[in-house]
Short mmCIF file of all heavy atoms in Angstrom, two decimals:
data_model
loop_
_atom_site.label_atom_id
_atom_site.label_comp_id
_atom_site.label_asym_id
_atom_site.label_seq_id
_atom_site.Cartn_x
_atom_site.Cartn_y
_atom_site.Cartn_z
N GLY A 37 23.07 -41.95 -66.81
CA GLY A 37 22.95 -42.46 -68.18
C GLY A 37 23.46 -43.88 -68.32
O GLY A 37 22.86 -44.69 -69.03
N MET A 38 24.55 -44.19 -67.66
CA MET A 38 25.11 -45.55 -67.70
C MET A 38 24.14 -46.53 -67.03
O MET A 38 23.93 -47.64 -67.54
CB MET A 38 26.45 -45.60 -66.98
CG MET A 38 27.54 -44.80 -67.61
SD MET A 38 28.90 -44.64 -66.43
CE MET A 38 30.29 -44.79 -67.52
N VAL A 39 23.58 -46.11 -65.91
CA VAL A 39 22.62 -46.98 -65.22
C VAL A 39 21.40 -47.19 -66.11
O VAL A 39 20.91 -48.31 -66.26
CB VAL A 39 22.21 -46.39 -63.84
CG1 VAL A 39 21.12 -47.25 -63.19
CG2 VAL A 39 23.42 -46.27 -62.92
N TYR A 40 20.92 -46.12 -66.72
CA TYR A 40 19.76 -46.25 -67.61
C TYR A 40 20.03 -47.24 -68.73
O TYR A 40 19.19 -48.09 -69.03
CB TYR A 40 19.35 -44.90 -68.20
CG TYR A 40 18.34 -45.09 -69.30
CD1 TYR A 40 17.04 -45.49 -69.02
CD2 TYR A 40 18.71 -44.92 -70.63
CE1 TYR A 40 16.12 -45.71 -70.04
CE2 TYR A 40 17.79 -45.14 -71.65
CZ TYR A 40 16.51 -45.53 -71.35
OH TYR A 40 15.62 -45.77 -72.36
N GLU A 41 21.19 -47.14 -69.37
CA GLU A 41 21.51 -48.05 -70.47
C GLU A 41 21.49 -49.51 -70.00
O GLU A 41 20.97 -50.39 -70.70
CB GLU A 41 22.87 -47.71 -71.08
CG GLU A 41 22.88 -46.39 -71.85
CD GLU A 41 21.92 -46.38 -73.03
OE1 GLU A 41 21.76 -47.41 -73.71
OE2 GLU A 41 21.30 -45.32 -73.26
N ALA A 42 22.05 -49.77 -68.83
CA ALA A 42 22.07 -51.13 -68.30
C ALA A 42 20.67 -51.61 -67.92
O ALA A 42 20.30 -52.76 -68.17
CB ALA A 42 23.00 -51.21 -67.09
N VAL A 43 19.88 -50.72 -67.32
CA VAL A 43 18.50 -51.07 -66.96
C VAL A 43 17.69 -51.31 -68.23
O VAL A 43 16.95 -52.30 -68.35
CB VAL A 43 17.85 -49.96 -66.09
CG1 VAL A 43 16.35 -50.16 -65.97
CG2 VAL A 43 18.49 -49.92 -64.70
N HIS A 44 17.82 -50.41 -69.20
CA HIS A 44 17.05 -50.49 -70.44
C HIS A 44 17.33 -51.78 -71.21
O HIS A 44 16.43 -52.35 -71.84
CB HIS A 44 17.33 -49.27 -71.31
CG HIS A 44 16.52 -49.23 -72.56
ND1 HIS A 44 15.17 -48.98 -72.57
CD2 HIS A 44 16.86 -49.45 -73.85
CE1 HIS A 44 14.72 -49.02 -73.80
NE2 HIS A 44 15.73 -49.31 -74.60
N ALA A 45 18.57 -52.26 -71.14
CA ALA A 45 18.93 -53.50 -71.84
C ALA A 45 18.14 -54.69 -71.29
O ALA A 45 17.80 -55.61 -72.03
CB ALA A 45 20.43 -53.75 -71.71
N ARG A 46 17.83 -54.66 -70.00
CA ARG A 46 17.09 -55.76 -69.37
C ARG A 46 15.60 -55.50 -69.27
O ARG A 46 14.80 -56.42 -69.32
CB ARG A 46 17.63 -56.02 -67.96
CG ARG A 46 19.02 -56.56 -67.92
CD ARG A 46 19.32 -57.01 -66.52
NE ARG A 46 20.67 -56.65 -66.15
CZ ARG A 46 21.17 -56.81 -64.95
NH1 ARG A 46 20.44 -57.29 -63.98
NH2 ARG A 46 22.41 -56.47 -64.70
N TYR A 47 15.26 -54.24 -69.02
CA TYR A 47 13.87 -53.85 -68.77
C TYR A 47 13.53 -52.61 -69.59
O TYR A 47 13.48 -51.51 -69.07
CB TYR A 47 13.65 -53.55 -67.28
CG TYR A 47 14.05 -54.68 -66.37
CD1 TYR A 47 15.32 -54.73 -65.79
CD2 TYR A 47 13.15 -55.71 -66.08
CE1 TYR A 47 15.68 -55.77 -64.96
CE2 TYR A 47 13.51 -56.75 -65.24
CZ TYR A 47 14.77 -56.78 -64.69
OH TYR A 47 15.12 -57.81 -63.86
N PRO A 48 13.30 -52.78 -70.89
CA PRO A 48 13.08 -51.62 -71.76
C PRO A 48 11.85 -50.79 -71.41
O PRO A 48 11.73 -49.65 -71.85
CB PRO A 48 12.96 -52.23 -73.16
CG PRO A 48 12.84 -53.68 -72.98
CD PRO A 48 13.30 -54.03 -71.61
N GLU A 49 10.96 -51.32 -70.59
CA GLU A 49 9.76 -50.57 -70.22
C GLU A 49 10.03 -49.51 -69.14
O GLU A 49 9.18 -48.65 -68.90
CB GLU A 49 8.65 -51.53 -69.74
CG GLU A 49 8.94 -52.25 -68.45
CD GLU A 49 9.82 -53.50 -68.59
OE1 GLU A 49 10.30 -53.83 -69.69
OE2 GLU A 49 10.05 -54.14 -67.55
N ILE A 50 11.21 -49.53 -68.52
CA ILE A 50 11.54 -48.52 -67.50
C ILE A 50 12.15 -47.31 -68.21
O ILE A 50 13.13 -47.42 -68.93
CB ILE A 50 12.50 -49.08 -66.44
CG1 ILE A 50 11.81 -50.23 -65.68
CG2 ILE A 50 12.93 -47.99 -65.46
CD1 ILE A 50 12.68 -50.92 -64.65
N SER A 51 11.55 -46.14 -67.98
CA SER A 51 11.97 -44.94 -68.71
C SER A 51 13.24 -44.32 -68.15
O SER A 51 13.62 -44.55 -67.00
CB SER A 51 10.84 -43.90 -68.67
OG SER A 51 10.75 -43.33 -67.38
N LYS A 52 13.86 -43.53 -68.99
CA LYS A 52 15.05 -42.78 -68.60
C LYS A 52 14.72 -41.85 -67.43
O LYS A 52 15.49 -41.75 -66.47
CB LYS A 52 15.59 -41.98 -69.79
CG LYS A 52 16.87 -41.24 -69.49
CD LYS A 52 17.29 -40.39 -70.67
CE LYS A 52 18.29 -41.13 -71.50
NZ LYS A 52 18.90 -40.28 -72.55
N ALA A 53 13.60 -41.17 -67.51
CA ALA A 53 13.19 -40.24 -66.45
C ALA A 53 13.06 -40.96 -65.11
O ALA A 53 13.45 -40.42 -64.06
CB ALA A 53 11.89 -39.55 -66.80
N THR A 54 12.53 -42.17 -65.13
CA THR A 54 12.38 -42.95 -63.90
C THR A 54 13.74 -43.26 -63.28
O THR A 54 13.94 -43.09 -62.08
CB THR A 54 11.59 -44.25 -64.17
OG1 THR A 54 10.28 -43.89 -64.60
CG2 THR A 54 11.52 -45.13 -62.94
N VAL A 55 14.68 -43.72 -64.08
CA VAL A 55 16.02 -44.04 -63.58
C VAL A 55 16.69 -42.80 -63.00
O VAL A 55 17.23 -42.83 -61.89
CB VAL A 55 16.89 -44.67 -64.69
CG1 VAL A 55 18.33 -44.84 -64.23
CG2 VAL A 55 16.30 -46.00 -65.15
N TYR A 56 16.65 -41.68 -63.73
CA TYR A 56 17.28 -40.45 -63.26
C TYR A 56 16.63 -39.98 -61.96
O TYR A 56 17.32 -39.56 -61.03
CB TYR A 56 17.17 -39.36 -64.33
CG TYR A 56 18.24 -39.44 -65.39
CD1 TYR A 56 18.32 -40.52 -66.27
CD2 TYR A 56 19.16 -38.42 -65.55
CE1 TYR A 56 19.29 -40.58 -67.25
CE2 TYR A 56 20.13 -38.47 -66.54
CZ TYR A 56 20.20 -39.56 -67.37
OH TYR A 56 21.17 -39.61 -68.33
N ARG A 57 15.31 -40.06 -61.87
CA ARG A 57 14.60 -39.62 -60.67
C ARG A 57 14.94 -40.50 -59.47
O ARG A 57 15.19 -40.00 -58.37
CB ARG A 57 13.09 -39.62 -60.90
CG ARG A 57 12.27 -39.19 -59.69
CD ARG A 57 10.77 -39.26 -59.93
NE ARG A 57 10.31 -40.43 -60.68
CZ ARG A 57 10.21 -41.66 -60.17
NH1 ARG A 57 10.53 -41.90 -58.93
NH2 ARG A 57 9.77 -42.65 -60.93
N ILE A 58 14.97 -41.80 -59.67
CA ILE A 58 15.29 -42.73 -58.58
C ILE A 58 16.68 -42.45 -58.03
O ILE A 58 16.89 -42.39 -56.80
CB ILE A 58 15.14 -44.19 -59.04
CG1 ILE A 58 13.65 -44.53 -59.21
CG2 ILE A 58 15.81 -45.15 -58.07
CD1 ILE A 58 13.39 -45.86 -59.89
N LEU A 59 17.66 -42.25 -58.90
CA LEU A 59 19.02 -41.98 -58.44
C LEU A 59 19.12 -40.61 -57.75
O LEU A 59 19.77 -40.47 -56.71
CB LEU A 59 20.01 -42.07 -59.59
CG LEU A 59 20.23 -43.48 -60.13
CD1 LEU A 59 21.08 -43.45 -61.39
CD2 LEU A 59 20.86 -44.38 -59.08
N ALA A 60 18.48 -39.60 -58.32
CA ALA A 60 18.50 -38.26 -57.71
C ALA A 60 17.84 -38.28 -56.33
O ALA A 60 18.37 -37.70 -55.37
CB ALA A 60 17.81 -37.25 -58.62
N ASP A 61 16.70 -38.96 -56.21
CA ASP A 61 16.02 -39.06 -54.92
C ASP A 61 16.88 -39.81 -53.90
O ASP A 61 16.97 -39.42 -52.73
CB ASP A 61 14.67 -39.78 -55.06
CG ASP A 61 13.61 -38.95 -55.75
OD1 ASP A 61 13.84 -37.72 -55.96
OD2 ASP A 61 12.55 -39.51 -56.09
N ALA A 62 17.53 -40.89 -54.34
CA ALA A 62 18.38 -41.67 -53.44
C ALA A 62 19.55 -40.82 -52.93
O ALA A 62 19.93 -40.92 -51.76
CB ALA A 62 18.90 -42.91 -54.15
#
Side-chain angles (χ1 to χ4, degrees):
M38 296 166 141
V39 175
Y40 169 71
E41 290 299 323
V43 168
H44 184 71
R46 292 191 220 173
Y47 305 94
E49 67 278 3
I50 297 177
S51 73
K52 183 184 264 189
T54 297
V55 172
Y56 277 65
R57 179 182 41 76
I58 288 170
L59 290 173
D61 288 350

